Amino acid sequence: GKVAIVTGASSGIGAAVAKALASAGMVTVGLARRVERVEALRKELPPEAAGRLHSLPCDVTREESILSAFATVQQLFDGVDVLINNAGISRRSITLVSPGNTQDLRAVLDTNVLGLVLCTREAFSSMRARGVDGHIINVNSILGHKYVPFLNLNIYGASKYAVTAITETLRNDFRNADTRVKVTSISPGIVRTEMVPEGDEFAETPMLEAEDVANAIVYALGTPPHVQVHELIIKPVGELA
């Protein structure tokens, strides 16, 4: 019966997490720009779980969109208990020194970094106001812990290093605010989603499935109140990175 918000819930990891949480009994609100794709996920669930999955339009690069979505969750469900910061993008058509790359670089940072922080701010405000010992889970990456020379990753790796630092900063912020709100970073290797480009580059690369990451998130959420999973790194067997 707890309320969970999942950002970037229209596909990939976000869609898998939204379905997993609804199946586990949580009232789950999937935020996405492509809200119709979140609605379609209900067809993949049993009726009872489908009734717990809701959708709201949200563009995490726009603060007003974030504020509107969280206000609607407050109005409909009295607040949020769990936030899954999953929304993330990459722009693999450029390098850091490509001419005219500013818009693409800003889009990655606004989505992967600032959007995550603003969603966390709003979720924590809801938790603290209601005295809820909630949980923030940041979907990070192994690229937030080591540099891997994949082609045209440009600022994506830096954005995930930022998530690693932000997670630790939040842990201290939550403790200094005298709360027991948890924060966890989930760092998968390559996951078979729409973000992985088609072609030969990753044709023979071992990959995780989105459901593998969803299962890790469910595990972290299921730990006792005194246990906090700081970091969970998951790789497919045989991954070189």
Side-chain angles (χ1 to χ4, degrees):
K2 298 289 187 180
V3 178
I5 289 178
V6 182
T7 68
S10 62
S11 65
I13 294 172
V17 172
K19 291 190 293 182
L21 297 185
S23 297
M26 299 195 74
V27 175
T28 305
V29 183
L31 305 186
R33 289 175 297 180
R34 300 173 295 181
V35 71
E36 70 282 354
R37 295 183 64 168
V38 182
E39 295 283 342
L41 296 176
R42 290 201 187 105
K43 300 176 183 177
E44 303 174 25
L45 294 170
E48 185 178 356
R52 288 189 291 267
L53 180 57
H54 309 269
S55 61
L56 286 174
C58 184
D59 179 352
V60 300
T61 67
R62 295 173 53 237
E63 183 177 11
E64 62 271 23
S65 183
I66 293 172
L67 296 178
S68 175
F70 275 83
T72 302
V73 171
Q74 177 69 34
Q75 181 181 14
L76 295 177
F77 306 111
D78 296 324
V80 57
D81 305 299
V82 168
L83 170 65
I84 313 297
N85 278 314
N86 167 75
I89 63 170
S90 63
R91 290 287 188 265
R92 301 199 68 221
S93 61
I94 60 167
T95 70
L96 286 177
V97 293
S98 297
N101 62 5
T102 306
Q103 185 173 351
D104 285 328
L105 296 179
R106 281 182 174 156
V108 172
L109 291 176
D110 284 346
T111 304
N112 299 7
V113 181
L114 190 56
L116 178 148
V117 172
L118 297 183
C119 286
T120 300
R121 182 192 69 193
E122 296 306 305
F124 179 71
S125 177
S126 173
M127 295 170 190
R128 191 177 191 189
R130 294 175 297 124
V132 170
D133 296 336
H135 201 149
I136 309 290
I137 293 187
N138 296 328
V139 178
N140 198 345
S141 168
I142 59 166
L143 296 176
H145 303 275
K146 64 183 293 186
Y147 173 75
V148 181
F150 290 139
L151 184 65
N152 286 9
L153 276 181
N154 50 76
I155 210 162
Y156 180 82
S159 76
K160 291 302 183 179
Y161 264 90
V163 172
T164 300
I166 287 166
T167 301
E168 295 307 313
T169 303
L170 290 172
R171 196 183 324 283
N172 282 284
D173 285 348
F174 295 165
R175 185 185 65 248
N176 292 338
D178 197 27
T179 74
R180 294 180 64 83
V181 175
K182 298 182 184 182
V183 60
T184 298
S185 165
I186 305 283
S187 297
I190 298 179
V191 183
R192 199 184 317 275
T193 68
E194 294 176 359
M195 286 185 66
V196 177
E198 297 180 357
D200 296 334
E201 182 181 1
F202 297 103
E204 303 300 324
T205 302
M207 294 189 191
L208 296 167
E209 302 298 334
E211 290 73 19
D212 299 323
V213 183
N215 289 339
I217 288 172
V218 171
Y219 160 73
L221 288 174
T223 53
H226 70 285
V227 174
Q228 180 168 222
V229 179
H230 282 218
E231 176 68 50
L232 189 54
I233 294 177
I234 319 163
K235 297 184 182 183
V237 173
E239 182 180 279
L240 292 176

